[in-house]
Amino acid sequence: MTALGASMTDTNQTAKDGADTLAAEKTALAWTHTARFLTTASQLDQLPQTELPEIAFVGRSNAGKSTAINMLTQQKRLAFASKTPGRTQHINLFELGPKLTPDALFADLPGYGYAAVARGAKLRWQQVMAQYLEVRRSLTGVVLMVDSRLGFTDLDRQLLQFVAPRVGNGSVKMLVLLTKADKLNRKESREALSAAQAALGEMTTDEADVGVALFSALNKTGIGDAAMVLHGWTHPGAGAASL
Ligand code: GDP
């Protein structure tokens, strides 16, 4: 399992490595910035069938998912499209890459765990998420947003179970962003990282590609690293994925 950001603090890192990392980060952020709204769907069979690699963003409501997507794409309102009335229980798709030759999709999945949601809606959520994570063929990676102060909740663990077989055999990659890290001191940050690594423990087989990183929209922690990971997942030949 990779704890991202480690390479940035490695004192043995050469100046050339540093310059390469900066260039890779710039490329990745320029790519994430191309994200634009494509379509919205309330059921799996309404999603376009596509060959493009798809990265899903998931997390409890209020975990900071919309803010993280907006920061990653450097667009103030992109993911707030997902928060407009009528779209909160939908899967919202964004397209990335050149306009005429898009090369990836981001899928913003409904936030879960909102206490006021009725039982029927919760069951429907489970079904949509389980189905999406188990069968969406083009799914390449999952970014799970977890509030760094709360850690993994029961619903987060349940969601991990849906996708665990595909993560375990390496066909779907996984990045956990511990959000709102600006609210933690150093000791709490270390503890949050190790608790997350422990929670992911059983998924981390030899084949699995699972990363964990502290993330803060407020002080911009982890944004470049996360962008490089997502770019690497969808552009395996580009050489930007190795952190
Ligand atoms: P979502 O429901 O998961 O999409 O969560 P939002 O992106 O709407 O964020 C929920 C709340 O957390 C909002 O009040 C945000 O301003 C706040 N928030 C999001 N990211 C951060 C962060 O990095 N640091 C801090 N301190 N607050 C954040």
Side-chain angles (χ1 to χ4, degrees):
M1 191 177 340
T2 331
L4 303 182
S7 63
M8 307 297 280
T9 53
D10 184 346
T11 46
N12 293 326
Q13 195 182 39
T14 64
K16 178 167 181 317
D17 285 347
D20 286 352
T21 306
L22 271 183
E25 183 174 310
K26 210 172 149 195
T27 303
L29 286 168
W31 171 73
T32 50
H33 186 56
T34 62
R36 59 248 173 210
F37 179 75
L38 178 67
T39 188
T40 182
S42 63
Q43 291 169 208
L44 222 56
D45 58 13
Q46 292 171 353
L47 287 176
Q49 285 305 322
T50 163
E51 296 303 315
L52 296 177
E54 192 162 296
I55 296 175
F57 291 79
V58 296
R60 258 179 81 104
S61 329
N62 214 39
K65 177 159 63 72
S66 311
T67 307
I69 294 174
N70 290 342
M71 289 306 292
L72 272 169
T73 59
Q74 309 126 74
Q75 298 187 39
K76 283 206 180 82
R77 302 203 44 84
L78 188 74
F80 288 125
S82 313
K83 293 208 150 186
T84 52
R87 274 200 196 158
T88 53
Q89 290 299 310
H90 285 209
I91 295 174
N92 293 293
L93 285 189
F94 304 96
E95 192 174 66
L96 290 93
K99 284 246 155 55
L100 295 177
T101 52
D103 55 16
L105 297 176
F106 282 177
D108 185 10
L109 269 62
Y112 46 86
Y114 184 56
V117 173
R119 191 177 142 76
K122 283 183 186 159
L123 290 175
R124 211 185 83 76
W125 168 81
Q126 279 185 339
Q127 263 177 359
V128 171
M129 295 296 241
Q131 259 194 338
Y132 175 89
L133 293 169
E134 284 166 13
V135 311
R136 178 74 168 156
R137 208 168 42 85
S138 49
L139 185 64
T140 298
V142 174
V143 183
L144 169 62
M145 251 73 52
V146 174
D147 188 321
S148 58
R149 295 162 307 169
L150 301 178
F152 283 74
T153 64
D154 285 348
L155 284 172
D156 295 320
R157 290 177 203 279
Q158 199 180 322
L159 179 130
L160 285 179
Q161 291 304 317
F162 296 150
V163 76
R166 296 175 83 183
V167 173
N169 70 19
S171 58
V172 171
K173 303 175 198 315
M174 174 114 204
L175 174 62
V176 176
L177 296 180
L178 301 172
T179 59
K180 311 184 194 180
D182 51 274
K183 300 199 178 208
L184 304 183
N185 62 31
R186 285 177 84 103
K187 179 164 174 281
E188 289 164 336
S189 299
R190 270 199 309 275
E191 286 167 357
L193 271 174
S194 38
Q197 282 167 338
L200 291 162
E202 57 198 73
M203 292 177 80
T204 39
T205 61
D206 284 349
E207 288 81 35
D209 181 340
V210 179
V212 188
L214 294 165
F215 191 92
S216 164
L218 203 74
N219 58 22
K220 300 206 158 60
T221 309
I223 295 168
D225 283 345
M228 284 194 285
V229 170
L230 307 192
H231 186 256
W233 284 354
T234 47
H235 301 74
S242 55
L243 280 169

